[in-house]
Amino acid sequence: MGFNVSLSGINAANADLNVTANNIANVNTTGFKESRAEFVDLFNSTSYGLSRNAIGSGVRLSGVAQQFSQGNIDQTGRSLDMAIEGEGFFTLSMNGTRVYSRAGNFQTDKSGYVVNPQGARLQVYAPSADGTRFDGTLTDLQVLATDSAPKQTGLVNLAFTLPANASEPTIATFDPSNSNSYNQSTGGVTVYDSLGVSHTQTSYFVKGANANEWQVYNYVDGQSVGAPTTLEFSNSGALLNPANGQITLDPFTPATGAGVLNLTLDVSGSTQYGEKFALRDTRQDGYASGKLTEISIDTTGVVYARYSNGADTALGQVALTNFNNPQGLQSMGNNVWTETNASGIARTGAPDTSDLGQIQSGSLEASTVDLTEQLVNMIVAQRNFQANAQMVSTQDQITQTVINIR
């Protein structure tokens, strides 16, 4: 029986060495979780249970437990590299089968789908039609290098300060081509039609005969878009008229074949102060078509396509999954796990909600293997192996002695 006990110890030490060897081999594997060999002792028993003087029958490997601790997060600077800071797993589709991973070294395949090195597609919550939220439908994340559609300008924000001591122009009849017929102009603000073609909207300011009053003439591409509008200021320089600060221009039909351009000027932040003209704000809400420049991901997992025109389009929100017992997951190799009865039912949600962690873009989670600790474990397992082997040798000597008795 002593041989069997020692043999079980040798097998256990060998299993411990194998687990340690696997950990050491994966010290640089992205998202790898180290494992620990766990053992239980053995006793021979009868239907009446163990006797008081029963001697153990050795040891056996009860399981190899994965340790799902947080690994270090290393910066890579690559936009599709992602790390989970906290609990949860990336949700992947491998040929229709749901698998899970902590390794976020993703890339795009020939069709633009975001995949791991083995081709499993990253799952995201699809954006709603208006792009303002995400519904509960999981879909494959796809990045296509298409142009961003243009947006027609609807609102132009102008904030300016008109000189309080200005005099009426020397030429009474306004003419945009004659600078003596107006006091100041915005110089031209670029606006866009529905095809993304740029146009120039210009406002000209003419000091009126009445104190604190100005006339503003508005043009698009040199064409008048409405009658002049009166701007009235208080004796403290605040804008009184128009009361809401907005000027609606007449429709402008571009020659490009685009739709009618309906512009509204918001001049609510304008004032009449001092002796000099100042143009403080010239914003508008349209843009031309744009080329894809980068992919960015925020901490909540929202994936944005950013374009050269400044537009951001949400492509989806990364879906994370957690389990009541992650140690019950079945490792499939290639840094992925699958759900089992022991792991519990998968709970999928958005990052930074419930018990799910945040997404760190441009980063990867390092292996949790501590090389120093594993080398110590190796020495201990080696000593255990040697000690059990020595027990076999000792048992052999004792047996030989018994055989040699005459």
Side-chain angles (χ1 to χ4, degrees):
M1 179 174 175
F3 283 106
N4 291 333
V5 172
S6 298
L7 182 60
S8 72
I10 289 175
N11 289 334
N14 186 61
D16 199 5
L17 281 170
N18 288 337
V19 171
T20 301
N22 184 63
N23 287 337
I24 293 175
N26 286 281
V27 69
N28 289 320
T29 301
T30 299
F32 179 79
K33 301 303 179 183
E34 72 168 287
S35 297
R36 180 181 68 198
E38 297 180 342
F39 305 95
V40 292
D41 57 347
L42 297 175
F43 277 88
N44 287 327
S45 61
T46 68
S47 58
Y48 300 103
L50 292 173
S51 63
R52 295 177 61 184
N53 59 350
I55 299 174
S57 299
V59 63
R60 69 175 176 85
L61 179 69
S62 66
V64 179
Q66 303 168 97
Q67 307 300 303
F68 286 95
S69 57
Q70 175 73 53
N72 292 331
I73 295 179
D74 300 328
Q75 299 292 320
T76 66
R78 184 174 172 273
S79 60
L80 284 181
D81 284 344
M82 287 179 267
I84 303 173
E85 186 176 4
E87 297 186 21
F89 298 81
F90 294 110
T91 309
L92 308 173
S93 177
M94 177 72 80
N95 297 323
T97 300
R98 193 65 52 81
V99 295
Y100 310 95
S101 178
R102 290 284 297 194
N105 49 329
F106 297 110
Q107 58 198 20
T108 54
D109 64 12
K110 63 181 181 180
S111 300
Y113 290 103
V114 176
V115 298
N116 72 355
Q118 289 70 46
R121 294 179 177 178
L122 179 64
Q123 299 297 287
V124 296
Y125 289 109
S128 60
D130 59 7
T132 59
R133 64 188 186 280
F134 301 93
D135 57 33
T137 304
L138 289 182
T139 186
D140 302 333
L141 176 61
Q142 188 176 27
V143 178
L144 297 177
T146 57
D147 290 348
S148 168
K151 179 184 177 183
Q152 178 174 303
T153 301
L155 180 67
V156 178
N157 292 89
L158 293 178
F160 47 81
T161 297
L162 296 172
N165 63 344
S167 302
E168 295 181 66
T170 55
I171 297 179
T173 302
F174 171 73
D175 181 357
S177 63
N178 189 338
S179 60
N180 291 321
S181 66
Y182 58 89
N183 298 80
Q184 307 290 343
S185 78
T186 58
V189 178
T190 300
V191 296
Y192 298 93
D193 62 26
S194 60
L195 296 178
V197 178
S198 63
H199 303 273
T200 302
Q201 185 278 320
T202 308
S203 297
Y204 299 90
F205 303 99
V206 178
K207 182 66 177 70
N210 298 328
N212 300 326
E213 282 190 3
W214 294 74
Q215 297 295 315
V216 57
Y217 295 79
N218 293 293
Y219 283 70
V220 175
D221 289 349
Q223 177 181 326
S224 176
V225 284
T229 300
T230 300
L231 301 180
E232 182 181 354
F233 297 89
S234 68
N235 56 14
S236 61
L239 182 67
L240 297 178
N241 186 59
N244 61 358
Q246 294 192 343
I247 302 172
T248 301
L249 307 186
D250 287 351
F252 172 78
T253 303
T256 61
V260 174
L261 191 60
N262 295 293
L263 296 176
T264 298
L265 302 185
D266 187 344
V267 298
S268 56
S270 301
T271 56
Q272 179 188 248
Y273 292 139
E275 301 178 353
K276 294 182 178 180
F277 174 77
L279 186 60
R280 295 180 279 105
D281 187 18
T282 55
R283 290 176 291 122
Q284 54 87 36
D285 60 358
Y287 45 76
S289 61
K291 301 292 184 182
L292 180 66
T293 57
E294 67 171 330
I295 299 296
S296 67
I297 306 166
D298 65 17
T299 57
T300 63
V302 179
V303 182
Y304 292 98
R306 300 190 183 278
Y307 296 89
S308 57
N309 57 7
D312 290 345
T313 300
L315 303 179
Q317 185 176 30
V318 174
L320 296 185
T321 300
N322 204 5
F323 301 86
N324 290 335
N325 177 30
Q327 287 188 331
L329 292 170
Q330 176 65 49
S331 177
M332 302 298 292
N334 296 320
N335 292 334
V336 299
W337 291 270
T338 58
E339 177 183 342
T340 67
N341 287 333
S343 68
I345 298 174
R347 294 180 285 105
T348 303
D352 204 21
T353 61
S354 185
D355 59 346
L356 299 173
Q358 294 183 337
I359 299 296
Q360 297 297 324
S361 178
S363 306
L364 289 175
E365 183 182 8
S367 169
T368 59
V369 174
D370 184 331
L371 187 56
T372 301
E373 179 185 359
Q374 295 304 312
L375 291 175
V376 172
N377 291 344
M378 179 186 67
I379 294 171
V380 172
Q382 180 186 15
R383 292 291 182 260
N384 290 341
F385 190 100
Q386 291 171 338
N388 282 282
Q390 187 62 42
M391 283 301 302
V392 172
S393 177
T394 301
Q395 292 286 342
D396 178 60
Q397 293 175 14
I398 293 173
T399 301
Q400 188 63 40
T401 300
V402 173
I403 291 173
N404 290 335
I405 293 176
R406 294 181 181 177

